[in-house]
Every structure is written in C-alpha cells, then in structure tokens.
mmCIF file of all heavy atoms in Angstrom:
data_model
loop_
_atom_site.group_PDB
_atom_site.id
_atom_site.type_symbol
_atom_site.label_atom_id
_atom_site.label_comp_id
_atom_site.label_asym_id
_atom_site.label_seq_id
_atom_site.Cartn_x
_atom_site.Cartn_y
_atom_site.Cartn_z
ATOM 1 N N THR A 1 -3.164 -10.355 6.874
ATOM 2 C CA THR A 1 -3.900 -10.450 5.686
ATOM 3 C C THR A 1 -3.669 -9.117 4.778
ATOM 4 O O THR A 1 -3.215 -8.138 5.389
ATOM 5 C CB THR A 1 -5.295 -10.620 5.826
ATOM 6 O OG1 THR A 1 -5.891 -9.571 6.475
ATOM 7 C CG2 THR A 1 -5.585 -11.974 6.693
ATOM 8 N N GLN A 2 -4.035 -9.187 3.630
ATOM 9 C CA GLN A 2 -4.003 -7.923 2.758
ATOM 10 C C GLN A 2 -4.866 -6.748 3.339
ATOM 11 O O GLN A 2 -4.447 -5.675 3.316
ATOM 12 C CB GLN A 2 -4.502 -8.269 1.303
ATOM 13 C CG GLN A 2 -4.446 -7.177 0.364
ATOM 14 C CD GLN A 2 -2.884 -6.810 0.033
ATOM 15 O OE1 GLN A 2 -2.016 -7.529 0.173
ATOM 16 N NE2 GLN A 2 -2.721 -5.547 -0.285
ATOM 17 N N ALA A 3 -5.983 -7.172 3.934
ATOM 18 C CA ALA A 3 -6.871 -6.154 4.577
ATOM 19 C C ALA A 3 -6.133 -5.530 5.786
ATOM 20 O O ALA A 3 -6.211 -4.348 5.986
ATOM 21 C CB ALA A 3 -8.272 -6.797 5.046
ATOM 22 N N ASP A 4 -5.473 -6.323 6.506
ATOM 23 C CA ASP A 4 -4.667 -5.870 7.762
ATOM 24 C C ASP A 4 -3.607 -4.869 7.224
ATOM 25 O O ASP A 4 -3.385 -3.868 7.794
ATOM 26 C CB ASP A 4 -3.999 -6.997 8.486
ATOM 27 C CG ASP A 4 -5.061 -7.962 9.172
ATOM 28 O OD1 ASP A 4 -6.139 -7.489 9.454
ATOM 29 O OD2 ASP A 4 -4.737 -9.118 9.255
ATOM 30 N N ILE A 5 -2.893 -5.260 6.074
ATOM 31 C CA ILE A 5 -1.942 -4.468 5.569
ATOM 32 C C ILE A 5 -2.345 -3.019 5.154
ATOM 33 O O ILE A 5 -1.810 -1.972 5.455
ATOM 34 C CB ILE A 5 -1.161 -5.189 4.410
ATOM 35 C CG1 ILE A 5 -0.408 -6.325 4.913
ATOM 36 C CG2 ILE A 5 -0.271 -4.219 3.662
ATOM 37 C CD1 ILE A 5 0.125 -7.250 3.753
ATOM 38 N N GLU A 6 -3.531 -3.117 4.392
ATOM 39 C CA GLU A 6 -4.026 -1.779 3.951
ATOM 40 C C GLU A 6 -4.621 -1.020 5.014
ATOM 41 O O GLU A 6 -4.466 0.207 5.059
ATOM 42 C CB GLU A 6 -5.251 -2.121 2.895
ATOM 43 C CG GLU A 6 -4.717 -2.772 1.579
ATOM 44 C CD GLU A 6 -5.768 -3.042 0.622
ATOM 45 O OE1 GLU A 6 -6.942 -2.658 0.792
ATOM 46 O OE2 GLU A 6 -5.516 -3.783 -0.367
ATOM 47 N N ALA A 7 -5.175 -1.574 6.131
ATOM 48 C CA ALA A 7 -5.614 -0.884 7.270
ATOM 49 C C ALA A 7 -4.473 -0.179 7.965
ATOM 50 O O ALA A 7 -4.659 1.019 8.363
ATOM 51 C CB ALA A 7 -6.351 -1.818 8.237
ATOM 52 N N ALA A 8 -3.394 -0.820 8.089
ATOM 53 C CA ALA A 8 -2.181 -0.297 8.669
ATOM 54 C C ALA A 8 -1.629 0.848 7.856
ATOM 55 O O ALA A 8 -1.175 2.007 8.308
ATOM 56 C CB ALA A 8 -1.068 -1.358 8.895
ATOM 57 N N ALA A 9 -1.648 0.721 6.512
ATOM 58 C CA ALA A 9 -1.135 1.718 5.647
ATOM 59 C C ALA A 9 -2.070 3.063 5.647
ATOM 60 O O ALA A 9 -1.619 4.189 5.622
ATOM 61 C CB ALA A 9 -1.168 1.264 4.193
ATOM 62 N N ARG A 10 -3.377 2.824 5.929
ATOM 63 C CA ARG A 10 -4.254 3.971 5.962
ATOM 64 C C ARG A 10 -3.913 4.790 7.290
ATOM 65 O O ARG A 10 -3.974 5.972 7.193
ATOM 66 C CB ARG A 10 -5.753 3.576 5.985
ATOM 67 C CG ARG A 10 -6.311 3.026 4.621
ATOM 68 C CD ARG A 10 -7.800 2.888 4.608
ATOM 69 N NE ARG A 10 -8.226 2.606 3.302
ATOM 70 C CZ ARG A 10 -8.320 1.410 2.660
ATOM 71 N NH1 ARG A 10 -8.072 0.348 3.476
ATOM 72 N NH2 ARG A 10 -8.830 1.217 1.464
ATOM 73 N N VAL A 11 -3.712 4.026 8.346
ATOM 74 C CA VAL A 11 -3.391 4.617 9.600
ATOM 75 C C VAL A 11 -2.121 5.514 9.452
ATOM 76 O O VAL A 11 -1.943 6.666 10.004
ATOM 77 C CB VAL A 11 -3.322 3.678 10.702
ATOM 78 C CG1 VAL A 11 -2.751 4.365 11.970
ATOM 79 C CG2 VAL A 11 -4.589 2.947 10.997
ATOM 80 N N ALA A 12 -1.170 4.982 8.700
ATOM 81 C CA ALA A 12 0.144 5.668 8.526
ATOM 82 C C ALA A 12 0.076 6.674 7.412
ATOM 83 O O ALA A 12 1.037 7.286 7.078
ATOM 84 C CB ALA A 12 1.233 4.664 8.169
ATOM 85 N N GLU A 13 -1.138 6.833 6.788
ATOM 86 C CA GLU A 13 -1.390 7.810 5.729
ATOM 87 C C GLU A 13 -0.429 7.591 4.559
ATOM 88 O O GLU A 13 0.118 8.595 4.019
ATOM 89 C CB GLU A 13 -1.229 9.225 6.278
ATOM 90 C CG GLU A 13 -2.176 9.519 7.491
ATOM 91 C CD GLU A 13 -2.127 10.952 7.941
ATOM 92 O OE1 GLU A 13 -1.340 11.674 7.504
ATOM 93 O OE2 GLU A 13 -2.884 11.344 8.878
ATOM 94 N N ILE A 14 -0.315 6.343 4.145
ATOM 95 C CA ILE A 14 0.559 5.930 2.929
ATOM 96 C C ILE A 14 -0.227 5.189 1.991
ATOM 97 O O ILE A 14 0.242 4.959 0.817
ATOM 98 C CB ILE A 14 1.827 5.295 3.435
ATOM 99 C CG1 ILE A 14 2.880 5.237 2.279
ATOM 100 C CG2 ILE A 14 1.530 3.987 3.913
ATOM 101 C CD1 ILE A 14 3.390 6.580 1.841
ATOM 102 N N HIS A 15 -1.482 4.842 2.153
ATOM 103 C CA HIS A 15 -2.278 3.965 1.313
ATOM 104 C C HIS A 15 -2.466 4.544 0.041
ATOM 105 O O HIS A 15 -2.337 3.900 -1.057
ATOM 106 C CB HIS A 15 -3.593 3.701 2.015
ATOM 107 C CG HIS A 15 -4.547 2.838 1.107
ATOM 108 N ND1 HIS A 15 -4.375 1.517 0.833
ATOM 109 C CD2 HIS A 15 -5.638 3.284 0.377
ATOM 110 C CE1 HIS A 15 -5.322 1.089 -0.007
ATOM 111 N NE2 HIS A 15 -6.155 2.217 -0.245
ATOM 112 N N GLU A 16 -2.886 5.793 -0.134
ATOM 113 C CA GLU A 16 -3.165 6.490 -1.442
ATOM 114 C C GLU A 16 -1.951 6.491 -2.237
ATOM 115 O O GLU A 16 -1.976 6.226 -3.444
ATOM 116 C CB GLU A 16 -3.674 7.913 -1.152
ATOM 117 C CG GLU A 16 -5.126 8.043 -0.631
ATOM 118 C CD GLU A 16 -5.143 7.635 0.811
ATOM 119 O OE1 GLU A 16 -4.137 7.698 1.489
ATOM 120 O OE2 GLU A 16 -6.341 7.243 1.246
ATOM 121 N N PHE A 17 -0.735 6.769 -1.631
ATOM 122 C CA PHE A 17 0.495 6.834 -2.523
ATOM 123 C C PHE A 17 0.727 5.373 -3.041
ATOM 124 O O PHE A 17 1.097 5.293 -4.189
ATOM 125 C CB PHE A 17 1.682 7.391 -1.594
ATOM 126 C CG PHE A 17 2.963 7.116 -2.244
ATOM 127 C CD1 PHE A 17 3.393 7.845 -3.350
ATOM 128 C CD2 PHE A 17 3.791 5.999 -1.901
ATOM 129 C CE1 PHE A 17 4.653 7.621 -4.025
ATOM 130 C CE2 PHE A 17 4.953 5.704 -2.476
ATOM 131 C CZ PHE A 17 5.378 6.547 -3.491
ATOM 132 N N ILE A 18 0.610 4.419 -2.197
ATOM 133 C CA ILE A 18 0.869 3.012 -2.561
ATOM 134 C C ILE A 18 -0.009 2.687 -3.764
ATOM 135 O O ILE A 18 0.427 2.067 -4.777
ATOM 136 C CB ILE A 18 0.835 2.039 -1.395
ATOM 137 C CG1 ILE A 18 1.754 2.345 -0.374
ATOM 138 C CG2 ILE A 18 0.875 0.595 -1.893
ATOM 139 C CD1 ILE A 18 1.646 1.556 0.904
ATOM 140 N N MET A 19 -1.256 2.983 -3.625
ATOM 141 C CA MET A 19 -2.198 2.642 -4.722
ATOM 142 C C MET A 19 -1.976 3.280 -6.014
ATOM 143 O O MET A 19 -2.330 2.882 -7.079
ATOM 144 C CB MET A 19 -3.622 2.907 -4.232
ATOM 145 C CG MET A 19 -4.058 1.982 -3.090
ATOM 146 S SD MET A 19 -3.890 0.236 -3.421
ATOM 147 C CE MET A 19 -5.058 0.023 -4.781
ATOM 148 N N SER A 20 -1.181 4.522 -5.957
ATOM 149 C CA SER A 20 -0.910 5.265 -7.122
ATOM 150 C C SER A 20 0.283 4.603 -7.899
ATOM 151 O O SER A 20 0.441 4.939 -9.062
ATOM 152 C CB SER A 20 -0.506 6.702 -6.861
ATOM 153 O OG SER A 20 0.725 6.768 -6.146
ATOM 154 N N LEU A 21 0.965 3.689 -7.304
ATOM 155 C CA LEU A 21 2.068 2.934 -7.964
ATOM 156 C C LEU A 21 1.503 1.914 -8.936
ATOM 157 O O LEU A 21 0.425 1.381 -8.716
ATOM 158 C CB LEU A 21 2.968 2.301 -6.951
ATOM 159 C CG LEU A 21 3.667 3.223 -5.980
ATOM 160 C CD1 LEU A 21 4.331 2.410 -4.833
ATOM 161 C CD2 LEU A 21 4.713 4.096 -6.601
ATOM 162 N N PRO A 22 2.240 1.619 -10.002
ATOM 163 C CA PRO A 22 1.746 0.720 -11.019
ATOM 164 C C PRO A 22 1.361 -0.621 -10.439
ATOM 165 O O PRO A 22 0.335 -1.251 -10.903
ATOM 166 C CB PRO A 22 2.924 0.543 -12.066
ATOM 167 C CG PRO A 22 3.633 1.845 -11.898
ATOM 168 C CD PRO A 22 3.480 2.186 -10.422
ATOM 169 N N LYS A 23 2.066 -1.266 -9.571
ATOM 170 C CA LYS A 23 1.792 -2.525 -8.982
ATOM 171 C C LYS A 23 1.301 -2.457 -7.523
ATOM 172 O O LYS A 23 1.121 -3.486 -6.904
ATOM 173 C CB LYS A 23 3.088 -3.414 -8.986
ATOM 174 C CG LYS A 23 3.456 -3.670 -10.379
ATOM 175 C CD LYS A 23 4.654 -4.685 -10.344
ATOM 176 C CE LYS A 23 5.177 -5.119 -11.808
ATOM 177 N NZ LYS A 23 6.288 -6.059 -11.847
ATOM 178 N N GLY A 24 0.925 -1.265 -7.058
ATOM 179 C CA GLY A 24 0.394 -1.201 -5.720
ATOM 180 C C GLY A 24 1.208 -1.700 -4.702
ATOM 181 O O GLY A 24 2.416 -1.459 -4.599
ATOM 182 N N TYR A 25 0.661 -2.435 -3.844
ATOM 183 C CA TYR A 25 1.337 -3.170 -2.680
ATOM 184 C C TYR A 25 2.363 -4.178 -3.145
ATOM 185 O O TYR A 25 3.220 -4.559 -2.390
ATOM 186 C CB TYR A 25 0.338 -3.763 -1.718
ATOM 187 C CG TYR A 25 -0.357 -2.704 -0.792
ATOM 188 C CD1 TYR A 25 -1.557 -2.190 -1.317
ATOM 189 C CD2 TYR A 25 0.193 -2.401 0.346
ATOM 190 C CE1 TYR A 25 -2.224 -1.180 -0.521
ATOM 191 C CE2 TYR A 25 -0.530 -1.429 1.113
ATOM 192 C CZ TYR A 25 -1.706 -0.867 0.697
ATOM 193 O OH TYR A 25 -2.343 0.060 1.489
ATOM 194 N N ASP A 26 2.290 -4.565 -4.340
ATOM 195 C CA ASP A 26 3.239 -5.522 -4.961
ATOM 196 C C ASP A 26 4.486 -4.893 -5.489
ATOM 197 O O ASP A 26 5.316 -5.533 -6.170
ATOM 198 C CB ASP A 26 2.623 -6.464 -5.962
ATOM 199 C CG ASP A 26 1.575 -7.392 -5.356
ATOM 200 O OD1 ASP A 26 1.811 -7.786 -4.211
ATOM 201 O OD2 ASP A 26 0.482 -7.720 -5.958
ATOM 202 N N THR A 27 4.629 -3.579 -5.311
ATOM 203 C CA THR A 27 5.731 -2.818 -5.859
ATOM 204 C C THR A 27 6.994 -3.105 -5.132
ATOM 205 O O THR A 27 6.990 -3.090 -3.842
ATOM 206 C CB THR A 27 5.481 -1.327 -5.808
ATOM 207 O OG1 THR A 27 4.255 -1.010 -6.578
ATOM 208 C CG2 THR A 27 6.658 -0.502 -6.372
ATOM 209 N N TYR A 28 7.989 -3.446 -5.797
ATOM 210 C CA TYR A 28 9.280 -3.648 -5.095
ATOM 211 C C TYR A 28 10.027 -2.343 -4.784
ATOM 212 O O TYR A 28 9.949 -1.373 -5.491
ATOM 213 C CB TYR A 28 10.275 -4.469 -5.966
ATOM 214 C CG TYR A 28 10.235 -5.982 -5.814
ATOM 215 C CD1 TYR A 28 9.081 -6.685 -6.387
ATOM 216 C CD2 TYR A 28 11.054 -6.616 -5.097
ATOM 217 C CE1 TYR A 28 9.003 -8.046 -6.131
ATOM 218 C CE2 TYR A 28 11.006 -8.042 -4.913
ATOM 219 C CZ TYR A 28 9.914 -8.727 -5.465
ATOM 220 O OH TYR A 28 9.851 -10.073 -5.304
ATOM 221 N N VAL A 29 10.745 -2.371 -3.651
ATOM 222 C CA VAL A 29 11.421 -1.197 -3.154
ATOM 223 C C VAL A 29 12.901 -1.637 -3.085
ATOM 224 O O VAL A 29 13.190 -2.904 -2.900
ATOM 225 C CB VAL A 29 10.947 -0.688 -1.791
ATOM 226 C CG1 VAL A 29 9.616 -0.160 -1.947
ATOM 227 C CG2 VAL A 29 11.090 -1.700 -0.688
ATOM 228 N N GLY A 30 13.848 -0.674 -2.982
ATOM 229 C CA GLY A 30 15.203 -1.112 -2.894
ATOM 230 C C GLY A 30 15.842 -1.315 -4.291
ATOM 231 O O GLY A 30 15.521 -0.801 -5.265
#
C-alpha cells in the first residue's frame, strides 16, 4: 500500500527528499 511504501522510504531515509519533489511518490525517474 501507499502507507507501506512511505514506511519503507522513511527507514531508508529518503521520504523527505521524495516529498520535496513536485509529484512526490508519483515522480517519474529515468
């Protein structure tokens, strides 16, 4: 779920950076 994804991102210490992006977790990479 989205909650699972955000929890994993917090553990990996990348959640804050992702949320700073314009589309957050829906941001495309590559």
